[in-house]
Amino acid sequence: MPLPLLLSLSMILLAIGLYAILASRRASCSRQIYGISLVICVILLGMALTHLLNAAAPVTLTLPLGLPWLGAHFRLDALSAFFLIVVNLGGAVASLFALGYGQHEPAPGRVLPFYPAFLADMNLVLLADDAFTFLFAWEFMSLSSWALVMAHHREPANARAGYLYLVMACLGTLALLLAFGLLAGANGGYDFATIRTVEMTPGLAALALILALIGTGSKAGLVPLHVWLPLAHPAAPSHVSALMSGVMTKVAVYGFIRIVFDLLGEPVAWWWGGLVLALGGITAVLGVLYALMQHDLKRLLAYHTVENIGIIFIGLGLALAFQSNQMYASAALALTAALFHVLNHSLFKSLLFMGTGAVLTATGERDMERLGGLIHPMPWTALAFLIGAAAISALPPLNGFVSEWLTFQAILLTPELPQWLLKFLAPAAGALLALSAALAAACFVKAFGITFLGRPRSPAAAKAQETDRYSLAALFSLAALCLLAGILPGLVVDGLSPAVGLLNGGAQLPAQQSQPWLTLVPVADVKSSYNGLLVLLFMALSGIFAAVSIHRFASNSVRRSPAWDCGFPNASPAAQYTAGSFAQPIRRVFGSVVFQAREHVTMPPPGDGRAAQFAVQLRDPVWDCGYAPLTAAIIKISTKLNYLQYLTIRQYLSLVFGALVLLLLGIALWR
Amino acid sequence: MHSLEFDIAHFLAGSMVVISLLLLYQDRLYALLKVFALHSLALTLAVGWQAYIQEAHHLYVTAGIALIFKAIVIPAALYRIVRRLGIHRTLEVVGGVGRDMLAGAALVALAILVMLPVTAGTDAVAREDLAFALAVVLLGLLLMVNRHNAVSLVIGFMSLENGLVLAAAGARGMPLAVEISVAFSVLIALIVIGIFLFRIRERFDSVDMQAMDAFRGERRR
């Protein structure tokens, strides 16, 4: 019986959260909490892996908790098992990282109680099998992560981020609440087994889809609901940022998949897929463009989360489009691509956030313009970060390439769709995907190059030291997983197939184990295939060949010459490329339209001793067109209604009386 | 079941509506208190009769509570407060009696229009009771809205509460605990309001709500 064990392990996590409240003042507490979290996450991970790989039948459990007439339903099926793997893998590695990183935490009492609770709540969301338990765990997850975001609440930026996060989380939960209300239908059966059997009219089903998009999209960071994410994720301690970006957004994706693919049943209209696809494409490109404009390393990574959520939603939108046309084989490919990317993004985003955390501890800096040259003091961190950066840039033979390649394979199948709009929309989304992949590569050349290469731009960066062993172990375990998933994609695809089958009416990709040489063949041999091992082999051989031939044929003599001597001998580190200057071409091409980027150069007249100044001004289109008018309207209305606060007792009573009479009149006339 | 039992229940509940209308045009405080005592007496009889025809013995307790507290203790307490405070004994009606009576009649019609279709198919006694109870509630609210005097505000509130008890008695199966707690909360309300009346009188030399409004610190611009 795995389910009671899973639940009791989650309860233990909650319990050690309580223990941490009492014990957080002791120095050894941090190690204890993270150590226990690590062990529990590894056990949970192992159980979920066994369940998924054995393709075991779903198990359910009802506990007499929660609402008295409902009880708390829990269920472990292939989909929740897969997401449990993602969550607990991320949780385990983050705990391992925090064994070292947590020692530097200035306020452990604000982090330790909420960290295990956060992990437990994410597990509970995945196991919930009724609307009440799901929403309860979901809201608990939001609140515990909010507490972690507010860990360093004295910084005004963090307080603002926390406030915005709380508002958006409430909005999302409200939308989910309404969505479940629609799903439960008139009889109000809130357990998922009943919801699956409810027949909905197309209009209501579409409304439920949109509410689910708002509810889960606001947590996942779908444009235009992403505004809180780049503020809140970086505000938390780095291992929590890794969890929020790498794992919690995946729980949101799980919520979307569970509601739309499982509970709603077959998609009714083809435009569902089109809507999700379009949102995914816009999210991917806008996310990476935002990221390119950022010079704060953690915020850059958070914007990349937005981009990757877009890629996942492109896959999900394609799957919806295929399913609505009964093309289940193609839908299986799109779903596999989306789920594969869920796993991949959790791996490399956690890796990158933890690498940033290591940099942050070593230098105290998140601003790239004050970093540089870190590859010399921190070679191992740099190597792990480089692997993560290559993976997120979708370079073979790493894992990011495989899932984006699979998404493209799914896009290549869209000409078979009968709807013309989808025929046009899907290649457009493909183009957006390609653009975002290229821009992501540019962005990570910037992130890695400015941070780790060149010369230190600040004294703090010059004095950096390599991070501790726990952190390195965490970084390299993730890097190894990125590589493994990249060269053995067939195994991952086979592991995913029970989950895909569950969502897709039983249709899944053909088993990849039977393919020779670990080749990945999603559709047919003649159409396309990919072999990560072969690519790795080719890269290794050509690399060795190049190295050998250079050493063999090039001159051995060492030549010394002044560095940066292009007319500036003894130049300062400030003469290097900066993050801003690196991003300038892309800012000129895209930013002037999307962000209305304006560059101001203030050049003092000759004879004036002041330094010349260069300033870039960016505007956020989503904020300007969406949120700013909305908040202005709310403020205007509430100012107008403010006089209601200053009425006399009689006027208040009249208000109540009038409202009552009006409602009664409504009832009397309506009937 | 157009029997004598139904007719008496109808008569008692209807008399409460009539007394509510009586409350609307009282322009002297003592008269208002006396009519309210009458209102509560009618409630006692109505609830008692319901207890008899429904054979629900706990309703006798409700009727007893109504008799002791609403018909005797509360009017007597208010009577004493008014005398002790020396409150100005005449009441100004905001609109004018004629308009008030017209509005009251309209509210009774509205209550019947709303309630009778909604409760179609249920017990006839309960239907009539609910319709009259809603009328009493609405008239109580009207009384609260239309007076400046704090004491008549209290009376409006109490008569509104009488309507609620009437509705509760008409519906079968209302547990006694609910009724007792409602009665208790009304008593608490009386105590709180009594204290406030003393305090207000001390501060402002008046229990006229308009006089109090003038003293409020925060005024909207």
Side-chain angles (χ1 to χ4, degrees), chain A residues 168-179:
Chain A
M168 294 303 283
C170 288
L171 174 81
T173 310
L174 175 68
L176 279 184
L177 188 71
L178 297 177

Side-chain angles (χ1 to χ4, degrees), chain A residues 336-353:
Chain A
T336 309
L339 291 182
F340 204 153
H341 202 72
V342 164
L343 175 69
N344 289 343
H345 182 243
S346 81
L347 292 177
F348 50 64
K349 187 50 61 74
S350 301
L351 168 57
L352 290 168
F353 258 117

Side-chain angles (χ1 to χ4, degrees), chain A residues 642-650 652-657 660-661 664-665 667-668 671, chain B residues 94 107 110 113-114 117-118 134 138 141-142 144-145 147-148 153 209 213 216 218-220:
Chain A
N642 196 27
Y643 75 91
L644 286 180
Q645 307 273 348
Y646 304 105
L647 297 182
T648 63
I649 298 177
R650 260 198 61 232
Y652 279 125
L653 282 174
S654 312
L655 220 57
V656 173
F657 182 62
L660 183 63
V661 168
L664 288 177
L665 267 178
I667 294 177
R671 291 178 65 87
Chain B
V94 174
L107 285 179
L110 175 66
L113 266 181
V114 168
V118 170
L134 183 61
L138 288 176
L141 261 176
L142 183 65
M144 289 174 83
V145 168
R147 297 299 159 97
H148 289 308
L153 212 70
M209 308 299 276
D213 290 338
R216 283 167 40 132
E218 305 171 315
R219 295 293 300 168
R220 83 187 154 97

Side-chain angles (χ1 to χ4, degrees), chain A residues 405-459:
Chain A
W405 182 78
L406 283 173
T407 313
F408 276 116
Q409 294 303 316
I411 287 174
L412 289 180
L413 295 174
T414 51
E416 295 166 21
L417 285 169
Q419 289 87 7
W420 278 101
L421 192 62
L422 284 182
K423 271 187 213 270
F424 285 113
L425 197 56
L432 289 179
L433 181 59
L435 178 64
S436 68
L439 290 177
C443 189
F444 276 95
V445 170
K446 172 180 112 174
F448 183 81
I450 303 293
T451 310
F452 288 98
L453 304 182
R455 284 197 286 163
R457 291 179 178 79
S458 66

Side-chain angles (χ1 to χ4, degrees), chain A residues 26-307:
Chain A
R26 268 187 280 145
S28 60
C29 179
S30 163
R31 285 262 154 91
Q32 287 170 1
I33 298 291
Y34 290 126
I36 300 171
S37 303
L38 171 63
V39 172
I40 291 180
C41 281
V42 168
I43 300 173
L44 286 170
L45 173 66
M47 289 170 66
L49 260 179
T50 1
H51 189 274
L52 189 68
L53 293 183
N54 291 338
V59 280
T60 56
L61 180 73
T62 308
L63 295 179
L65 298 170
L67 296 182
W69 61 91
L70 187 64
H73 296 70
F74 296 98
R75 184 165 185 258
L76 176 65
D77 58 14
L79 182 67
S80 42
F82 167 65
F83 277 91
L84 278 175
I85 293 172
V86 172
V87 166
N88 289 305
L89 186 60
V93 180
S95 305
L96 178 62
F97 180 77
L99 278 176
Y101 182 78
Q103 301 295 312
H104 310 291
E105 175 60 46
R110 296 187 182 281
V111 176
L112 290 178
F114 302 110
Y115 177 81
F118 182 41
L119 286 175
D121 297 332
M122 289 195 288
N123 278 307
L124 288 178
V125 171
L126 301 179
L127 290 172
D129 196 35
D130 66 69
F132 180 78
T133 315
F134 183 91
L135 283 177
F136 189 78
W138 178 277
E139 196 59 7
F140 228 4
M141 173 180 85
S142 299
L143 287 179
S144 52
S145 56
W146 172 79
L148 289 167
V149 167
M150 294 295 278
H152 304 149
H153 62 114
R154 296 208 190 280
E155 291 168 36
N158 288 4
R160 178 169 179 266
Y163 175 70
L164 195 59
Y165 176 34
L166 205 59
V167 170
M168 294 303 283
C170 288
L171 174 81
T173 310
L174 175 68
L176 279 184
L177 188 71
L178 297 177
F180 279 122
L182 284 180
L183 285 168
N187 296 328
Y190 283 100
D191 57 314
F192 285 174
T194 316
I195 288 177
R196 282 186 195 101
T197 60
V198 171
E199 290 288 327
M200 295 180 82
T201 60
L204 282 184
L207 195 58
L209 169 83
I210 289 168
L211 285 171
L213 258 180
I214 295 173
T216 58
S218 69
K219 182 69 79 195
L222 212 55
V223 171
L225 300 167
H226 68 283
V227 283
W228 63 274
L229 192 149
L231 302 176
H233 285 187
S238 290
H239 58 296
V240 180
S241 304
L243 274 185
M244 288 181 75
S245 238
V247 176
M248 189 178 72
T249 54
K250 306 306 171 298
V251 176
V253 171
Y254 164 82
F256 181 78
I257 295 178
R258 179 62 82 193
I259 292 175
V260 173
F261 284 85
D262 186 11
L263 300 183
L264 266 177
E266 290 289 297
V268 185
W270 61 268
W271 61 263
W272 290 20
L275 176 71
V276 177
L277 189 61
L279 276 178
I282 294 169
T283 303
V285 170
L286 264 185
V288 71
L289 280 178
Y290 277 119
L292 267 165
M293 304 300 132
Q294 285 302 325
H295 310 316
D296 178 326
L297 206 47
K298 281 178 91 171
R299 189 165 295 171
L300 178 146
L301 291 176
Y303 273 121
H304 268 284
T305 300
V306 175
E307 179 223 345

Side-chain angles (χ1 to χ4, degrees), chain A residues 595-633:
Chain A
F595 302 110
Q596 295 174 357
R598 298 286 176 269
E599 293 168 5
H600 303 285
V601 181
T602 323
M603 191 67 80
D608 193 338
R610 282 176 301 155
Q613 290 214 328
F614 174 77
V616 178
Q617 189 191 7
L618 295 173
R619 302 202 60 90
D620 184 340
V622 175
W623 193 269
D624 282 359
C625 304
Y627 288 83
L630 193 69
T631 44

